[in-house]
Amino acid sequence: MPSALGLLLYGLIVIAIILVTDAAIGFIRSARGIDDEIVRRRLLNKGADKDDRRTTLEFLKPGVAVDLTWHRFIPFNNRLTLLLRQSGIALSKDRAIIISCVATLLAFVPSLFVLPPKYLPYTLLFALVAGPAAVIGFLSQARTKRRLKFEEQLPDAIDLIVRSLRVGHPLSGAISVVGREMPDPLGLEFQIASSEILYGLDVPAAIAGVADRVGSADLGYLTVAVQIQQESGGNLAESLAKLSNIIRERFRMFRKVKAITAEGRFSAWLLSVFPFGIGIVIEFVHPGYFTQVEDYPYFPYLVGATVLMLIINLIAMRILTTIKV
Protein backbone atom coordinates (compact mmCIF):
# COMPACT_ATOMS: atom_id res chain seq x y z
CA MET A 1 0.00 0.00 0.00
CA PRO A 2 1.47 3.39 -0.96
CA SER A 3 2.67 5.62 1.82
CA ALA A 4 1.12 8.99 2.62
CA LEU A 5 4.06 10.76 0.99
CA GLY A 6 3.58 8.71 -2.17
CA LEU A 7 -0.13 9.55 -2.31
CA LEU A 8 0.69 13.23 -1.81
CA LEU A 9 3.20 13.17 -4.64
CA TYR A 10 0.75 11.40 -6.96
CA GLY A 11 -1.87 14.02 -6.10
CA LEU A 12 0.56 16.85 -6.86
CA ILE A 13 1.44 15.23 -10.19
CA VAL A 14 -2.25 14.99 -11.14
CA ILE A 15 -2.81 18.65 -10.22
CA ALA A 16 0.28 19.63 -12.19
CA ILE A 17 -0.98 17.77 -15.27
CA ILE A 18 -4.37 19.51 -15.03
CA LEU A 19 -2.78 22.96 -14.70
CA VAL A 20 -0.31 22.34 -17.54
CA THR A 21 -3.20 21.18 -19.77
CA ASP A 22 -5.14 24.34 -18.94
CA ALA A 23 -2.09 26.47 -19.73
CA ALA A 24 -1.53 24.60 -23.01
CA ILE A 25 -5.14 25.32 -24.04
CA GLY A 26 -4.61 29.00 -23.28
CA PHE A 27 -1.40 29.07 -25.34
CA ILE A 28 -3.17 27.36 -28.27
CA ARG A 29 -5.99 29.91 -28.13
CA SER A 30 -3.46 32.72 -28.14
CA ALA A 31 -1.44 31.19 -31.00
CA ARG A 32 -4.56 30.84 -33.14
CA GLY A 33 -5.59 34.40 -32.38
CA ILE A 34 -8.95 33.47 -30.88
CA ASP A 35 -8.74 36.01 -28.08
CA ASP A 36 -7.31 38.66 -30.41
CA GLU A 37 -10.24 38.10 -32.76
CA ILE A 38 -12.67 38.64 -29.88
CA VAL A 39 -10.95 41.94 -29.04
CA ARG A 40 -10.98 42.92 -32.71
CA ARG A 41 -14.74 42.32 -32.99
CA ARG A 42 -15.24 44.29 -29.78
CA LEU A 43 -13.32 47.21 -31.23
CA LEU A 44 -15.14 47.10 -34.56
CA ASN A 45 -18.50 47.17 -32.77
CA LYS A 46 -17.58 49.96 -30.39
CA GLY A 47 -20.00 52.31 -32.15
CA ALA A 48 -22.98 50.12 -31.28
CA ASP A 49 -22.62 50.54 -27.51
CA LYS A 50 -21.66 54.14 -26.88
CA ASP A 51 -23.92 54.21 -23.82
CA ASP A 52 -22.13 51.30 -22.18
CA ARG A 53 -20.28 53.07 -19.35
CA ARG A 54 -18.37 49.95 -18.40
CA THR A 55 -16.20 50.29 -21.49
CA THR A 56 -12.78 51.69 -20.55
CA LEU A 57 -9.42 52.01 -22.24
CA GLU A 58 -7.94 49.34 -20.00
CA PHE A 59 -10.63 46.87 -21.07
CA LEU A 60 -9.58 47.36 -24.69
CA LYS A 61 -5.98 46.41 -23.96
CA PRO A 62 -5.42 42.64 -24.02
CA GLY A 63 -3.35 41.21 -21.23
CA VAL A 64 -3.73 44.23 -18.93
CA ALA A 65 -4.96 43.46 -15.44
CA VAL A 66 -5.15 45.41 -12.22
CA ASP A 67 -2.51 44.38 -9.68
CA LEU A 68 -3.80 42.82 -6.48
CA THR A 69 -2.42 43.71 -3.07
CA TRP A 70 -0.22 40.63 -2.79
CA HIS A 71 1.30 41.19 -6.23
CA ARG A 72 3.69 43.79 -4.85
CA PHE A 73 5.49 41.04 -2.92
CA ILE A 74 6.40 39.29 -6.17
CA PRO A 75 10.06 39.85 -7.14
CA PHE A 76 10.33 42.05 -10.24
CA ASN A 77 6.55 42.55 -10.28
CA ASN A 78 6.64 45.52 -12.66
CA ARG A 79 8.94 43.75 -15.09
CA LEU A 80 6.71 40.67 -15.06
CA THR A 81 3.67 42.85 -15.81
CA LEU A 82 5.49 44.51 -18.70
CA LEU A 83 6.70 41.15 -20.03
CA LEU A 84 3.20 39.69 -20.00
CA ARG A 85 1.84 42.77 -21.76
CA GLN A 86 4.54 42.82 -24.45
CA SER A 87 4.40 39.08 -25.11
CA GLY A 88 0.86 39.37 -26.50
CA ILE A 89 -0.18 36.10 -24.83
CA ALA A 90 -3.58 36.04 -23.14
CA LEU A 91 -2.07 34.96 -19.82
CA SER A 92 -2.83 36.60 -16.51
CA LYS A 93 -0.18 37.19 -13.89
CA ASP A 94 -1.82 34.74 -11.48
CA ARG A 95 -1.82 31.99 -14.10
CA ALA A 96 1.81 32.69 -14.98
CA ILE A 97 2.75 32.28 -11.30
CA ILE A 98 0.76 29.04 -11.08
CA ILE A 99 2.49 27.67 -14.17
CA SER A 100 5.87 28.60 -12.66
CA CYS A 101 4.99 26.65 -9.51
CA VAL A 102 3.87 23.66 -11.58
CA ALA A 103 7.07 23.76 -13.63
CA THR A 104 9.05 23.82 -10.39
CA LEU A 105 7.22 20.72 -9.16
CA LEU A 106 7.73 18.94 -12.47
CA ALA A 107 11.46 19.68 -12.26
CA PHE A 108 11.77 18.54 -8.63
CA VAL A 109 9.39 15.55 -8.24
CA PRO A 110 11.25 13.15 -10.61
CA SER A 111 14.45 13.66 -8.60
CA LEU A 112 12.70 12.13 -5.54
CA PHE A 113 12.54 8.79 -7.35
CA VAL A 114 15.89 8.93 -9.17
CA LEU A 115 18.52 10.67 -7.04
CA PRO A 116 19.80 9.81 -3.56
CA PRO A 117 18.38 11.92 -0.69
CA LYS A 118 21.64 13.79 -0.19
CA TYR A 119 21.26 15.47 -3.59
CA LEU A 120 17.68 16.64 -3.01
CA PRO A 121 18.66 20.12 -1.67
CA TYR A 122 20.61 20.78 -4.87
CA THR A 123 17.78 19.56 -7.09
CA LEU A 124 15.31 21.68 -5.10
CA LEU A 125 17.47 24.76 -5.66
CA PHE A 126 17.72 23.90 -9.35
CA ALA A 127 13.94 23.43 -9.62
CA LEU A 128 13.25 26.75 -7.87
CA VAL A 129 15.36 28.48 -10.53
CA ALA A 130 14.39 26.36 -13.55
CA GLY A 131 10.61 26.60 -13.05
CA PRO A 132 10.24 30.41 -13.21
CA ALA A 133 13.10 30.62 -15.73
CA ALA A 134 11.21 28.35 -18.14
CA VAL A 135 8.10 30.54 -18.00
CA ILE A 136 10.10 33.77 -18.30
CA GLY A 137 12.08 32.32 -21.19
CA PHE A 138 8.88 31.34 -23.01
CA LEU A 139 7.36 34.79 -22.50
CA SER A 140 10.58 36.49 -23.59
CA GLN A 141 10.67 34.40 -26.74
CA ALA A 142 7.03 35.25 -27.47
CA ARG A 143 7.74 38.94 -26.87
CA THR A 144 10.73 38.90 -29.23
CA LYS A 145 8.79 37.05 -31.93
CA ARG A 146 5.86 39.47 -31.65
CA ARG A 147 8.12 42.54 -31.65
CA LEU A 148 10.01 41.37 -34.74
CA LYS A 149 6.76 40.69 -36.58
CA PHE A 150 5.48 44.13 -35.55
CA GLU A 151 8.65 45.85 -36.75
CA GLU A 152 8.48 43.96 -40.03
CA GLN A 153 4.95 45.29 -40.59
CA LEU A 154 5.75 48.82 -39.42
CA PRO A 155 7.22 50.22 -42.70
CA ASP A 156 4.12 49.13 -44.61
CA ALA A 157 1.92 50.69 -41.93
CA ILE A 158 3.83 53.98 -42.15
CA ASP A 159 3.49 53.91 -45.95
CA LEU A 160 -0.25 53.45 -45.50
CA ILE A 161 -0.35 56.45 -43.14
CA VAL A 162 1.59 58.52 -45.70
CA ARG A 163 -0.86 57.65 -48.47
CA SER A 164 -3.80 58.46 -46.22
CA LEU A 165 -2.31 61.84 -45.31
CA ARG A 166 -1.63 62.69 -48.93
CA VAL A 167 -5.26 62.06 -49.93
CA GLY A 168 -6.44 64.38 -47.18
CA HIS A 169 -7.21 62.15 -44.20
CA PRO A 170 -6.35 63.45 -40.72
CA LEU A 171 -3.68 61.60 -38.75
CA SER A 172 -6.23 60.01 -36.42
CA GLY A 173 -8.16 58.75 -39.44
CA ALA A 174 -4.95 57.35 -40.96
CA ILE A 175 -4.24 55.45 -37.73
CA SER A 176 -7.77 54.05 -37.84
CA VAL A 177 -7.22 52.90 -41.44
CA VAL A 178 -4.01 51.11 -40.40
CA GLY A 179 -5.88 49.37 -37.59
CA ARG A 180 -8.53 48.10 -40.02
CA GLU A 181 -6.28 47.13 -42.92
CA MET A 182 -3.11 45.74 -41.34
CA PRO A 183 -2.94 42.21 -39.89
CA ASP A 184 -2.14 41.47 -36.26
CA PRO A 185 -0.22 42.26 -34.13
CA LEU A 186 0.18 45.73 -35.66
CA GLY A 187 -3.45 46.01 -36.70
CA LEU A 188 -4.77 45.20 -33.24
CA GLU A 189 -2.41 47.64 -31.51
CA PHE A 190 -3.31 50.49 -33.85
CA GLN A 191 -7.00 49.75 -33.34
CA ILE A 192 -6.44 50.19 -29.62
CA ALA A 193 -4.56 53.45 -30.31
CA SER A 194 -7.44 54.62 -32.52
CA SER A 195 -9.92 53.87 -29.72
CA GLU A 196 -7.76 55.80 -27.24
CA ILE A 197 -7.75 58.80 -29.58
CA LEU A 198 -11.55 58.62 -29.81
CA TYR A 199 -11.68 58.68 -26.01
CA GLY A 200 -9.70 61.94 -25.95
CA LEU A 201 -6.03 60.88 -25.81
CA ASP A 202 -3.71 62.89 -28.04
CA VAL A 203 -2.08 61.14 -31.01
CA PRO A 204 1.59 61.13 -29.80
CA ALA A 205 0.54 59.67 -26.43
CA ALA A 206 -1.54 56.97 -28.14
CA ILE A 207 1.39 55.97 -30.38
CA ALA A 208 3.73 56.04 -27.36
CA GLY A 209 1.32 53.65 -25.63
CA VAL A 210 1.65 51.25 -28.57
CA ALA A 211 5.45 51.47 -28.27
CA ASP A 212 5.24 50.61 -24.55
CA ARG A 213 2.95 47.62 -25.16
CA VAL A 214 5.12 46.24 -27.96
CA GLY A 215 8.60 47.28 -26.83
CA SER A 216 9.61 48.55 -30.28
CA ALA A 217 12.27 51.26 -30.51
CA ASP A 218 11.36 52.01 -34.13
CA LEU A 219 7.88 53.07 -33.09
CA GLY A 220 9.48 55.63 -30.79
CA TYR A 221 10.82 57.41 -33.87
CA LEU A 222 7.28 57.62 -35.22
CA THR A 223 6.13 59.11 -31.92
CA VAL A 224 8.87 61.76 -32.03
CA ALA A 225 8.09 62.64 -35.66
CA VAL A 226 4.40 63.09 -34.92
CA GLN A 227 5.09 65.13 -31.79
CA ILE A 228 7.54 67.44 -33.59
CA GLN A 229 5.04 67.99 -36.40
CA GLN A 230 2.27 68.88 -33.96
CA GLU A 231 4.48 71.29 -32.01
CA SER A 232 6.48 72.87 -34.85
CA GLY A 233 4.57 72.05 -38.02
CA GLY A 234 6.06 70.72 -41.25
CA ASN A 235 5.35 68.12 -43.89
CA LEU A 236 4.50 65.02 -41.85
CA ALA A 237 3.92 62.83 -44.90
CA GLU A 238 7.42 63.54 -46.23
CA SER A 239 9.02 62.87 -42.84
CA LEU A 240 7.17 59.59 -42.40
CA ALA A 241 8.11 58.47 -45.93
CA LYS A 242 11.81 58.91 -45.10
CA LEU A 243 11.30 57.17 -41.75
CA SER A 244 9.71 54.20 -43.50
CA ASN A 245 12.74 53.80 -45.78
CA ILE A 246 15.14 54.04 -42.83
CA ILE A 247 13.28 51.39 -40.83
CA ARG A 248 13.09 49.09 -43.84
CA GLU A 249 16.83 49.38 -44.49
CA ARG A 250 17.59 48.87 -40.80
CA PHE A 251 15.48 45.71 -40.74
CA ARG A 252 17.30 44.41 -43.83
CA MET A 253 20.66 45.09 -42.17
CA PHE A 254 19.48 43.33 -39.01
CA ARG A 255 18.75 40.17 -41.01
CA LYS A 256 22.20 40.29 -42.57
CA VAL A 257 23.80 40.58 -39.13
CA LYS A 258 21.70 37.68 -37.85
CA ALA A 259 22.87 35.51 -40.74
CA ILE A 260 26.52 36.45 -40.15
CA THR A 261 26.36 35.62 -36.42
CA ALA A 262 24.42 32.36 -36.89
CA GLU A 263 27.59 30.27 -36.67
CA GLY A 264 28.61 31.81 -33.34
CA ARG A 265 25.15 31.31 -31.82
CA PHE A 266 25.05 27.69 -32.98
CA SER A 267 28.52 27.09 -31.54
CA ALA A 268 27.45 28.52 -28.18
CA TRP A 269 24.48 26.19 -27.88
CA LEU A 270 26.43 23.19 -29.17
CA LEU A 271 29.30 23.68 -26.73
CA SER A 272 26.87 24.10 -23.84
CA VAL A 273 24.71 21.07 -24.64
CA PHE A 274 27.60 18.82 -25.66
CA PRO A 275 28.80 17.90 -22.10
CA PHE A 276 25.29 16.85 -21.05
CA GLY A 277 24.92 14.79 -24.21
CA ILE A 278 28.24 13.06 -23.60
CA GLY A 279 27.25 12.33 -19.99
CA ILE A 280 23.97 10.74 -21.08
CA VAL A 281 25.71 8.61 -23.72
CA ILE A 282 28.36 7.44 -21.25
CA GLU A 283 25.72 6.53 -18.66
CA PHE A 284 23.78 4.62 -21.31
CA VAL A 285 26.82 2.74 -22.65
CA HIS A 286 28.45 2.12 -19.26
CA PRO A 287 25.79 2.21 -16.51
CA GLY A 288 27.17 3.14 -13.12
CA TYR A 289 30.18 4.98 -14.56
CA PHE A 290 29.53 8.16 -12.57
CA THR A 291 28.54 6.33 -9.38
CA GLN A 292 32.22 5.52 -8.88
CA VAL A 293 32.97 9.16 -8.10
CA GLU A 294 29.70 10.34 -6.54
CA ASP A 295 31.08 9.76 -3.04
CA TYR A 296 34.02 12.05 -3.76
CA PRO A 297 33.64 15.04 -1.37
CA TYR A 298 34.07 17.68 -4.07
CA PHE A 299 31.88 15.97 -6.69
CA PRO A 300 28.75 18.16 -6.17
CA TYR A 301 30.86 21.32 -6.20
CA LEU A 302 32.59 20.28 -9.43
CA VAL A 303 29.24 19.58 -11.08
CA GLY A 304 27.90 22.95 -9.92
CA ALA A 305 31.04 24.73 -11.19
CA THR A 306 30.67 22.99 -14.56
CA VAL A 307 27.05 24.06 -14.93
CA LEU A 308 27.94 27.62 -13.88
CA MET A 309 30.73 27.82 -16.47
CA LEU A 310 28.37 26.55 -19.18
CA ILE A 311 25.88 29.26 -18.28
CA ILE A 312 28.64 31.88 -18.38
CA ASN A 313 29.66 30.52 -21.79
CA LEU A 314 26.11 30.99 -23.11
CA ILE A 315 25.91 34.54 -21.77
CA ALA A 316 29.34 35.47 -23.14
CA MET A 317 28.59 34.06 -26.60
CA ARG A 318 25.26 35.85 -26.67
CA ILE A 319 26.96 39.16 -25.85
CA LEU A 320 29.58 38.57 -28.54
CA THR A 321 27.01 37.68 -31.21
CA THR A 322 24.59 40.52 -30.39
CA ILE A 323 25.23 43.48 -32.66
CA LYS A 324 23.09 46.60 -32.34
CA VAL A 325 21.80 47.80 -35.68
Side-chain angles (χ1 to χ4, degrees), residues 213-248:
R213 293 193 298 272
V214 178
S216 173
D218 292 339
L219 199 57
Y221 304 140
L222 176 61
T223 305
V224 173
V226 172
Q227 189 169 3
I228 291 175
Q229 191 275 337
Q230 288 197 345
E231 294 178 356
S232 305
N235 191 341
L236 181 60
E238 188 68 23
S239 300
L240 294 184
K242 294 180 181 179
L243 177 61
S244 173
N245 292 331
I246 292 174
I247 294 176
R248 191 174 279 110

Coordinates of all heavy atoms in Angstrom, one line a residue, residues 213-248:
R213 N 3.6 49.0 -25.2 CA 2.9 47.6 -25.2 C 3.7 46.6 -26.0 O 3.6 45.4 -25.8 CB 1.5 47.7 -25.6 CG 0.6 48.4 -24.7 CD -0.9 48.2 -25.0 NE -1.2 48.7 -26.3 CZ -1.6 49.9 -26.6 NH1 -1.7 50.8 -25.6 NH2 -2.0 50.3 -27.8
V214 N 4.4 47.1 -27.0 CA 5.1 46.2 -28.0 C 6.6 46.2 -27.6 O 7.2 45.1 -27.8 CB 4.9 46.7 -29.4 CG1 5.7 45.8 -30.4 CG2 3.4 46.7 -29.8
G215 N 7.2 47.3 -27.1 CA 8.6 47.3 -26.8 C 9.4 47.6 -28.1 O 10.6 47.1 -28.1
S216 N 8.9 48.3 -29.0 CA 9.6 48.5 -30.3 C 10.3 49.9 -30.2 O 9.6 50.9 -30.0 CB 8.6 48.5 -31.5 OG 9.3 48.9 -32.7
A217 N 11.6 50.0 -30.5 CA 12.3 51.3 -30.5 C 11.9 52.0 -31.8 O 11.9 53.3 -31.8 CB 13.8 51.0 -30.4
D218 N 11.7 51.3 -32.9 CA 11.4 52.0 -34.1 C 10.1 52.8 -34.0 O 10.0 53.9 -34.6 CB 11.2 51.0 -35.3 CG 12.5 50.3 -35.6 OD1 13.6 50.9 -35.3 OD2 12.5 49.2 -36.2
L219 N 9.1 52.3 -33.2 CA 7.9 53.1 -33.1 C 8.1 54.4 -32.3 O 7.3 55.3 -32.4 CB 6.8 52.2 -32.4 CG 5.4 52.6 -32.5 CD1 5.0 52.7 -34.0 CD2 4.5 51.6 -31.8
G220 N 9.2 54.4 -31.5 CA 9.5 55.6 -30.8 C 9.8 56.7 -31.7 O 9.5 57.9 -31.5
Y221 N 10.5 56.4 -32.9 CA 10.8 57.4 -33.9 C 9.6 58.0 -34.5 O 9.5 59.2 -34.8 CB 11.7 56.8 -35.0 CG 13.0 56.2 -34.4 CD1 13.5 55.0 -35.0 CD2 13.7 56.8 -33.4 CE1 14.6 54.4 -34.5 CE2 14.9 56.2 -32.9 CZ 15.3 55.0 -33.5 OH 16.5 54.4 -33.0
L222 N 8.6 57.1 -34.7 CA 7.3 57.6 -35.2 C 6.6 58.6 -34.2 O 6.1 59.6 -34.6 CB 6.4 56.4 -35.5 CG 4.9 56.7 -36.0 CD1 5.0 57.5 -37.3 CD2 4.1 55.5 -36.2
T223 N 6.7 58.2 -33.0 CA 6.1 59.1 -31.9 C 6.8 60.5 -31.9 O 6.1 61.5 -31.9 CB 6.3 58.5 -30.5 OG1 5.7 57.2 -30.5 CG2 5.6 59.3 -29.5
V224 N 8.1 60.5 -32.0 CA 8.9 61.8 -32.0 C 8.5 62.6 -33.3 O 8.3 63.8 -33.2 CB 10.4 61.5 -32.0 CG1 11.2 62.8 -32.1 CG2 10.7 60.8 -30.6
A225 N 8.4 61.9 -34.4 CA 8.1 62.6 -35.7 C 6.7 63.3 -35.6 O 6.5 64.4 -36.0 CB 8.2 61.7 -36.9
V226 N 5.8 62.5 -35.0 CA 4.4 63.1 -34.9 C 4.4 64.2 -33.9 O 3.7 65.3 -34.2 CB 3.4 62.0 -34.5 CG1 2.0 62.6 -34.2 CG2 3.3 60.9 -35.6
Q227 N 5.1 64.1 -32.8 CA 5.1 65.1 -31.8 C 5.8 66.4 -32.3 O 5.3 67.5 -32.1 CB 5.8 64.6 -30.5 CG 5.7 65.6 -29.3 CD 6.2 64.9 -28.1 OE1 6.6 63.8 -28.1 NE2 6.0 65.6 -27.0
I228 N 6.9 66.3 -33.0 CA 7.5 67.4 -33.6 C 6.6 68.1 -34.6 O 6.6 69.4 -34.6 CB 8.9 67.0 -34.2 CG1 9.9 66.6 -33.2 CG2 9.5 68.2 -35.1 CD1 11.2 66.0 -33.7
Q229 N 5.9 67.4 -35.4 CA 5.0 68.0 -36.4 C 3.9 68.8 -35.7 O 3.5 69.8 -36.2 CB 4.5 66.9 -37.3 CG 3.8 67.4 -38.6 CD 2.3 67.7 -38.3 OE1 1.7 67.2 -37.4 NE2 1.8 68.6 -39.1
Q230 N 3.4 68.2 -34.6 CA 2.3 68.9 -34.0 C 2.7 70.1 -33.2 O 2.0 71.1 -33.1 CB 1.6 67.9 -33.0 CG 0.8 66.8 -33.7 CD -0.2 66.2 -32.7 OE1 -0.1 66.3 -31.5 NE2 -1.1 65.4 -33.3
E231 N 4.0 70.1 -32.8 CA 4.5 71.3 -32.0 C 5.1 72.4 -32.9 O 5.0 73.6 -32.6 CB 5.5 70.8 -31.0 CG 5.0 70.0 -29.9 CD 6.0 69.5 -28.9 OE1 7.2 69.8 -29.2 OE2 5.7 68.8 -27.9
S232 N 5.8 71.9 -34.0 CA 6.5 72.9 -34.8 C 5.9 73.0 -36.3 O 6.3 73.9 -37.0 CB 8.0 72.5 -34.9 OG 8.5 72.4 -33.6
G233 N 5.1 72.0 -36.7 CA 4.6 72.0 -38.0 C 5.5 71.3 -39.0 O 6.6 70.8 -38.6
G234 N 5.2 71.4 -40.3 CA 6.1 70.7 -41.2 C 5.3 69.7 -42.0 O 4.1 69.4 -41.8
N235 N 6.0 69.1 -43.0 CA 5.3 68.1 -43.9 C 5.5 66.7 -43.2 O 6.5 66.1 -43.3 CB 6.0 68.1 -45.3 CG 5.3 67.3 -46.3 OD1 4.4 66.5 -45.9 ND2 5.5 67.6 -47.6
L236 N 4.4 66.3 -42.6 CA 4.5 65.0 -41.8 C 4.6 63.9 -42.8 O 5.3 62.9 -42.6 CB 3.3 64.9 -40.9 CG 3.2 63.6 -40.1 CD1 4.4 63.5 -39.2 CD2 1.9 63.5 -39.3
A237 N 3.9 63.9 -43.9 CA 3.9 62.8 -44.9 C 5.3 62.6 -45.4 O 5.8 61.4 -45.6 CB 2.9 63.1 -46.0
E238 N 6.1 63.7 -45.7 CA 7.4 63.5 -46.2 C 8.3 63.0 -45.2 O 9.2 62.1 -45.4 CB 7.9 64.9 -46.7 CG 9.3 64.9 -47.4 CD 9.2 64.2 -48.8 OE1 8.1 64.1 -49.3 OE2 10.2 63.7 -49.2
S239 N 8.2 63.4 -43.9 CA 9.0 62.9 -42.8 C 8.8 61.4 -42.6 O 9.7 60.6 -42.4 CB 8.7 63.7 -41.6 OG 9.0 65.0 -41.7
L240 N 7.5 61.0 -42.6 CA 7.2 59.6 -42.4 C 7.6 58.7 -43.6 O 8.0 57.5 -43.4 CB 5.7 59.4 -42.2 CG 5.1 60.1 -40.9 CD1 3.6 59.8 -40.8 CD2 5.9 59.6 -39.7
A241 N 7.6 59.2 -44.8 CA 8.1 58.5 -45.9 C 9.6 58.2 -45.8 O 10.0 57.0 -46.0 CB 7.8 59.2 -47.2
K242 N 10.4 59.1 -45.3 CA 11.8 58.9 -45.1 C 12.0 57.9 -43.9 O 12.9 57.1 -44.0 CB 12.5 60.2 -44.8 CG 12.5 61.2 -46.0 CD 13.2 62.5 -45.6 CE 13.2 63.5 -46.8 NZ 13.9 64.7 -46.5
L243 N 11.2 58.1 -42.9 CA 11.3 57.2 -41.7 C 11.0 55.7 -42.2 O 11.7 54.8 -41.7 CB 10.3 57.6 -40.6 CG 10.3 56.7 -39.4 CD1 11.6 56.7 -38.7 CD2 9.2 57.2 -38.4
S244 N 10.0 55.5 -43.0 CA 9.7 54.2 -43.5 C 10.9 53.6 -44.2 O 11.2 52.4 -44.0 CB 8.5 54.3 -44.4 OG 8.2 53.0 -45.0
N245 N 11.6 54.3 -45.1 CA 12.7 53.8 -45.8 C 13.9 53.5 -44.8 O 14.6 52.4 -45.0 CB 13.2 54.8 -46.8 CG 12.2 55.0 -48.0 OD1 11.5 54.1 -48.3 ND2 12.2 56.2 -48.5
I246 N 14.1 54.3 -43.8 CA 15.1 54.0 -42.8 C 14.9 52.8 -42.1 O 15.8 51.9 -41.9 CB 15.3 55.2 -41.9 CG1 15.8 56.5 -42.6 CG2 16.2 54.9 -40.7 CD1 15.9 57.7 -41.8
I247 N 13.6 52.6 -41.6 CA 13.3 51.4 -40.8 C 13.4 50.1 -41.7 O 13.9 49.1 -41.2 CB 11.9 51.5 -40.3 CG1 11.8 52.7 -39.2 CG2 11.4 50.2 -39.6 CD1 10.4 52.9 -38.7
R248 N 13.0 50.2 -43.0 CA 13.1 49.1 -43.8 C 14.5 48.7 -44.1 O 14.9 47.5 -44.1 CB 12.4 49.4 -45.2 CG 12.2 48.2 -46.0 CD 11.3 48.5 -47.3 NE 9.9 48.5 -46.9 CZ 9.1 49.6 -46.8 NH1 9.6 50.8 -47.1 NH2 7.9 49.5 -46.5

